[in-house]
Amino acid sequence: IDATQPARLARFWESVLTDYRIRLYDDAEIARLAGLGFTTETDPAVLLGGPGPTICFHVREMPREKTNHVHLDIVGGPRKAEVERLTALGARVREENENHTVMLDPEGNVFCVIDPR
């Protein structure tokens, strides 16, 4: 989900979705963020986990009217295999990146398949 303040929006949805919690940051992740100049409060991508899909809140870099209001990120097995499976179901690849693939669902809605952490 695109956001101007991912941590703040994730806290809101954590309150709304009672079975979901912001994923805890371990020492290694806090150190990684610090190395990039971020804190857990300014993290550009905050994950909310629960009984269903993980919800990713990430910084929106374009004006709202040029992006989806909701943007799902799919994490599965190996990315290449997941992209092939989704393509067989009717999705299309829009763009390949180093650690994620931007795809379009059958109606043209954007989502990403990302490498497992």
Side-chain angles (χ1 to χ4, degrees), residues 14-46:
E14 181 181 46
S15 295
V16 171
L17 304 170
T18 57
D19 291 341
Y20 277 75
R21 297 289 172 259
I22 292 173
R23 286 211 180 152
L24 297 176
Y25 292 86
D26 61 18
D27 292 340
E29 182 63 7
I30 291 170
R32 186 188 74 80
L33 286 172
L36 296 170
F38 297 113
T39 67
T40 57
E41 189 58 30
T42 61
D43 186 352
V46 178

Coordinates of all heavy atoms in Angstrom, one line a residue, residues 14-46:
E14 N -2.7 -1.8 11.8 CA -2.5 -2.8 12.8 C -3.6 -2.7 13.8 O -4.1 -3.7 14.3 CB -1.1 -2.5 13.5 CG -0.8 -3.5 14.7 CD 0.5 -3.1 15.3 OE1 0.8 -2.0 15.6 OE2 1.3 -4.1 15.5
S15 N -4.1 -1.4 14.0 CA -5.2 -1.2 14.9 C -6.5 -1.7 14.3 O -7.4 -2.2 15.0 CB -5.4 0.2 15.3 OG -4.3 0.7 16.0
V16 N -6.7 -1.5 13.0 CA -7.9 -1.9 12.3 C -8.0 -3.4 12.2 O -9.0 -4.0 12.4 CB -7.9 -1.3 10.9 CG1 -9.0 -1.8 10.1 CG2 -8.0 0.3 11.0
L17 N -6.8 -4.1 11.8 CA -6.8 -5.5 11.6 C -6.3 -6.2 12.8 O -5.1 -6.3 13.0 CB -5.9 -5.8 10.3 CG -6.3 -5.1 9.0 CD1 -5.3 -5.3 8.0 CD2 -7.7 -5.7 8.6
T18 N -7.1 -6.6 13.7 CA -6.7 -7.0 15.1 C -5.8 -8.2 15.1 O -5.1 -8.4 16.0 CB -8.0 -7.3 15.9 OG1 -8.8 -8.3 15.2 CG2 -8.8 -6.1 16.1
D19 N -5.8 -9.0 14.0 CA -4.9 -10.2 14.0 C -3.6 -9.9 13.3 O -2.8 -10.8 13.1 CB -5.6 -11.4 13.3 CG -6.8 -11.9 14.1 OD1 -6.8 -11.7 15.3 OD2 -7.6 -12.6 13.6
Y20 N -3.4 -8.7 12.9 CA -2.1 -8.3 12.3 C -1.2 -7.5 13.2 O -1.7 -6.7 14.0 CB -2.4 -7.5 11.0 CG -2.8 -8.4 9.8 CD1 -4.0 -9.0 9.7 CD2 -1.8 -8.6 8.8 CE1 -4.3 -9.8 8.6 CE2 -2.1 -9.4 7.7 CZ -3.3 -10.0 7.6 OH -3.6 -10.8 6.5
R21 N 0.1 -7.6 13.0 CA 1.0 -6.9 13.8 C 2.2 -6.5 12.9 O 2.6 -7.2 12.0 CB 1.6 -7.8 15.0 CG 0.6 -8.2 16.0 CD 0.2 -7.1 16.9 NE -0.9 -7.5 17.7 CZ -2.2 -7.2 17.5 NH1 -2.6 -6.5 16.5 NH2 -3.1 -7.6 18.4
I22 N 2.7 -5.3 13.2 CA 3.9 -4.8 12.5 C 5.0 -5.8 12.8 O 5.2 -6.2 14.0 CB 4.3 -3.4 13.0 CG1 3.3 -2.4 12.5 CG2 5.7 -3.0 12.4 CD1 3.4 -1.0 13.0
R23 N 5.7 -6.3 11.8 CA 6.8 -7.2 12.0 C 7.9 -6.6 12.8 O 8.3 -5.5 12.6 CB 7.4 -7.7 10.6 CG 6.4 -8.6 9.9 CD 7.2 -9.6 9.1 NE 6.3 -10.5 8.4 CZ 6.6 -11.0 7.2 NH1 7.7 -10.8 6.6 NH2 5.7 -11.8 6.7
L24 N 8.4 -7.4 13.8 CA 9.4 -6.9 14.7 C 10.8 -6.7 13.9 O 11.1 -7.5 13.0 CB 9.6 -7.8 15.8 CG 8.4 -8.0 16.7 CD1 8.7 -9.1 17.8 CD2 8.0 -6.7 17.4
Y25 N 11.5 -5.7 14.3 CA 12.8 -5.5 13.7 C 13.9 -6.2 14.6 O 13.9 -5.9 15.8 CB 13.1 -4.0 13.7 CG 12.3 -3.2 12.7 CD1 11.0 -2.7 13.1 CD2 12.7 -3.0 11.4 CE1 10.2 -2.0 12.2 CE2 11.9 -2.2 10.5 CZ 10.7 -1.8 10.9 OH 9.9 -1.1 10.1
D26 N 14.7 -7.0 14.0 CA 15.8 -7.6 14.8 C 17.0 -6.6 14.7 O 17.0 -5.6 13.9 CB 16.2 -9.0 14.3 CG 16.6 -9.1 12.8 OD1 17.0 -8.1 12.3 OD2 16.6 -10.2 12.3
D27 N 18.1 -6.9 15.5 CA 19.2 -6.1 15.5 C 19.9 -5.9 14.1 O 20.3 -4.8 13.8 CB 20.3 -6.6 16.5 CG 19.8 -6.5 17.9 OD1 18.8 -5.7 18.2 OD2 20.3 -7.2 18.8
A28 N 19.9 -6.9 13.4 CA 20.5 -6.8 12.0 C 19.8 -5.9 11.1 O 20.3 -5.1 10.4 CB 20.6 -8.2 11.4
E29 N 18.4 -5.9 11.2 CA 17.6 -5.1 10.3 C 17.7 -3.6 10.8 O 17.8 -2.7 10.0 CB 16.1 -5.5 10.3 CG 15.2 -4.7 9.5 CD 15.6 -4.7 8.0 OE1 16.4 -5.5 7.5 OE2 14.9 -4.0 7.2
I30 N 17.8 -3.4 12.1 CA 17.9 -2.0 12.6 C 19.3 -1.5 12.2 O 19.4 -0.3 11.8 CB 17.8 -2.0 14.2 CG1 16.3 -2.3 14.5 CG2 18.2 -0.7 14.7 CD1 16.0 -2.5 16.0
A31 N 20.3 -2.3 12.2 CA 21.6 -1.8 11.8 C 21.6 -1.6 10.3 O 22.2 -0.6 9.8 CB 22.7 -2.9 12.1
R32 N 21.0 -2.4 9.5 CA 20.9 -2.2 8.0 C 20.2 -0.9 7.7 O 20.6 -0.1 6.9 CB 20.1 -3.3 7.4 CG 20.1 -3.3 5.8 CD 19.2 -4.3 5.2 NE 17.8 -4.0 5.4 CZ 17.1 -3.1 4.6 NH1 17.7 -2.5 3.6 NH2 15.9 -2.8 4.8
L33 N 19.0 -0.6 8.4 CA 18.3 0.6 8.2 C 19.2 1.8 8.6 O 19.2 2.8 7.9 CB 17.0 0.7 9.0 CG 15.9 -0.2 8.5 CD1 14.8 -0.2 9.6 CD2 15.4 0.3 7.2
A34 N 19.9 1.7 9.7 CA 20.7 2.8 10.2 C 21.8 3.1 9.2 O 22.1 4.3 8.9 CB 21.4 2.5 11.5
G35 N 22.4 2.1 8.6 CA 23.4 2.3 7.5 C 22.9 3.0 6.3 O 23.6 3.6 5.5
L36 N 21.6 2.9 6.1 CA 20.9 3.6 5.0 C 20.4 5.0 5.4 O 19.8 5.7 4.6 CB 19.8 2.8 4.4 CG 20.2 1.4 3.8 CD1 19.0 0.6 3.5 CD2 21.0 1.7 2.5
G37 N 20.5 5.3 6.7 CA 20.0 6.6 7.2 C 18.6 6.6 7.6 O 18.0 7.7 7.7
F38 N 18.1 5.4 7.9 CA 16.7 5.3 8.4 C 16.6 4.7 9.8 O 17.5 4.2 10.3 CB 15.9 4.3 7.4 CG 15.8 4.8 6.0 CD1 16.4 4.1 5.0 CD2 15.0 5.9 5.7 CE1 16.3 4.5 3.7 CE2 14.9 6.3 4.4 CZ 15.6 5.6 3.4
T39 N 15.4 4.9 10.4 CA 15.1 4.3 11.7 C 13.8 3.4 11.4 O 13.3 3.5 10.3 CB 14.7 5.4 12.7 OG1 13.5 6.0 12.3 CG2 15.9 6.4 12.9
T40 N 13.4 2.8 12.5 CA 12.2 2.0 12.3 C 11.0 2.9 12.0 O 10.0 2.5 11.4 CB 11.9 1.1 13.5 OG1 11.8 1.9 14.7 CG2 12.9 0.1 13.7
E41 N 11.0 4.2 12.5 CA 10.0 5.1 12.2 C 10.0 5.7 10.8 O 9.0 6.1 10.3 CB 10.0 6.2 13.3 CG 8.8 7.2 13.3 CD 7.5 6.5 13.5 OE1 7.4 5.4 14.2 OE2 6.5 7.0 12.9
T42 N 11.2 5.7 10.2 CA 11.3 6.3 8.9 C 11.6 5.2 7.8 O 11.9 5.6 6.7 CB 12.5 7.4 8.8 OG1 13.7 6.8 9.2 CG2 12.2 8.5 9.8
D43 N 11.5 4.0 8.2 CA 11.7 2.9 7.3 C 10.8 3.1 6.0 O 9.6 3.3 6.2 CB 11.3 1.6 8.0 CG 11.6 0.3 7.2 OD1 12.0 0.4 6.0 OD2 11.5 -0.8 7.8
P44 N 11.4 3.0 4.8 CA 10.5 3.2 3.7 C 9.6 2.0 3.3 O 8.8 2.2 2.4 CB 11.6 3.5 2.5 CG 12.8 2.9 3.0 CD 12.8 2.9 4.5
A45 N 9.8 0.9 4.0 CA 8.9 -0.2 3.7 C 8.7 -1.0 5.1 O 9.6 -1.5 5.7 CB 9.6 -1.2 2.7
V46 N 7.4 -0.9 5.5 CA 7.0 -1.5 6.8 C 6.1 -2.7 6.5 O 5.1 -2.5 5.8 CB 6.4 -0.5 7.7 CG1 5.9 -1.1 9.0 CG2 7.4 0.7 8.0

